[in-house]
Amino acid sequence: MMNKVALVTGASRGIGRAIALKLAAAGHDVMINYAGNKEMALAVKTACEGFGVKAEIFQANIGDNEQVAALVKETIDVFGTIDVLVNNAGITRDQLMLRMKREDFDDVIDVNLKGVFYLTQAVSKIMFKKRQGSIVNITSVSGVIGNVGQANYAASKAGVIGLTKTVAKELAPRGIRVNAVAPGFIQTDMTEVLGEEMLETIKETVPLKRLGTPEDIANMITFLVSDAASYITGQVMHVDGGLVI
């Protein structure tokens, strides 16, 4: 896995940060995309460089195709190529469907679904010429079973699943693998705001009786982009403690 270049979106915190660090530990140079917090992105860059690899940061809203193009160009300018793409960046605008504002629906679709399309289209052109590459999209159990108050989020993540399977079929003849990872309840700053009582209730719904960690997701990503997973494509890997059985 040495000398490969990975582009990870939404990598300044949470799951994205854990993915960037795990890939760096495995020997990947890493482009760290972030939306707003430069200080946190720089901290991830420094941590990645601690593994002896090259790392860089770039701010971009992946829901904007022009910013995506700039991100991909900068990655090529800095690293020369892209071997691995992890579409991790995502947002939520939760509300019951009857009360949901159209802009909240559109914003989530733009980032969570269109952003994955924009990046996959741009990066796959690079991988196409090399006849190799690995793309992993972060979806969610919400995209599989739905979730109250998340019509926009669940729709976007279900769309990512369909996109993953279709693109996997299209790119397989060129040696490019495309998979998705569906996290369940993961312990991040997004779940911490729920409060201890709610988190305990959530844990009771999970067969393994605990929340996942960002590292649980990062471990799966690192496997999927490695040569050990060279015969795996078009799959949705659930990392959810058995939540969706």
Side-chain angles (χ1 to χ4, degrees):
M1 294 178 66
M2 296 297 291
N3 303 321
K4 289 186 178 181
V5 176
L7 166 56
V8 184
T9 66
S12 64
R13 62 191 179 95
I15 292 174
R17 176 184 182 276
I19 293 168
L21 292 177
K22 188 69 68 171
L23 291 177
H28 290 70
D29 294 331
V30 185
M31 173 58 84
I32 300 155
N33 160 253
Y34 69 102
N37 197 319
K38 183 176 182 179
E39 183 177 345
M40 292 181 69
L42 286 171
V44 177
K45 176 180 184 293
T46 299
C48 287
E49 291 172 338
F51 293 105
V53 302
K54 186 176 181 179
E56 193 51 79
I57 68 170
F58 193 87
Q59 183 177 21
N61 170 15
I62 68 164
D64 184 317
N65 197 25
E66 291 185 1
Q67 293 187 44
V68 165
L71 168 61
V72 173
K73 182 181 183 301
E74 180 69 11
T75 305
I76 296 300
D77 289 346
V78 172
F79 298 101
T81 190
I82 300 174
D83 301 292
V84 170
L85 169 63
V86 182
N87 284 307
N88 166 74
I91 63 172
T92 56
R93 297 285 188 273
D94 294 355
Q95 181 57 272
L96 293 175
M97 187 271 294
L98 291 176
R99 299 176 181 173
M100 186 173 291
K101 297 177 181 178
R102 285 190 177 182
E103 54 265 34
D104 288 340
F105 187 90
D106 291 343
D107 287 348
V108 170
I109 295 296
D110 284 346
V111 174
N112 295 7
L113 182 55
K114 288 184 179 180
V116 174
F117 169 75
Y118 295 149
L119 269 161
T120 300
Q121 187 177 57
V123 172
S124 62
K125 292 176 182 178
I126 298 164
M127 296 177 173
F128 205 79
K129 296 177 181 178
K130 298 168 49 171
R131 301 186 69 91
Q132 65 178 5
S134 181
I135 300 171
V136 182
N137 302 320
I138 302 298
T139 179
S140 169
V141 294
S142 293
V144 179
I145 60 175
N147 194 28
V148 173
Q150 290 192 320
N152 48 7
Y153 185 78
S156 71
K157 293 302 187 178
V160 168
I161 292 174
L163 181 64
T164 298
K165 292 177 178 292
T166 298
V167 175
K169 289 183 177 181
E170 292 183 1
L171 299 183
R174 301 294 291 192
I176 303 167
R177 298 185 298 105
V178 188
N179 292 289
V181 173
F185 291 108
I186 306 300
Q187 190 169 355
T188 66
D189 53 0
M190 293 178 68
T191 56
E192 286 178 0
V193 300
L194 297 175
E196 189 61 34
E197 184 176 346
M198 176 62 73
L199 290 177
E200 288 302 318
T201 300
I202 290 173
K203 289 176 186 178
E204 288 303 310
T205 69
V206 179
L208 288 182
K209 303 302 179 185
R210 71 171 178 88
L211 300 184
T213 67
E215 288 71 28
D216 289 326
I217 308 303
N219 287 335
M220 177 59 77
I221 300 289
T222 305
F223 165 68
L224 285 174
V225 304
S226 74
D227 292 340
S230 63
Y231 202 54
I232 300 174
T233 195
Q235 302 304 306
V236 181
M237 314 298 284
H238 289 261
V239 184
D240 60 9
L243 185 64
V244 181
I245 294 178

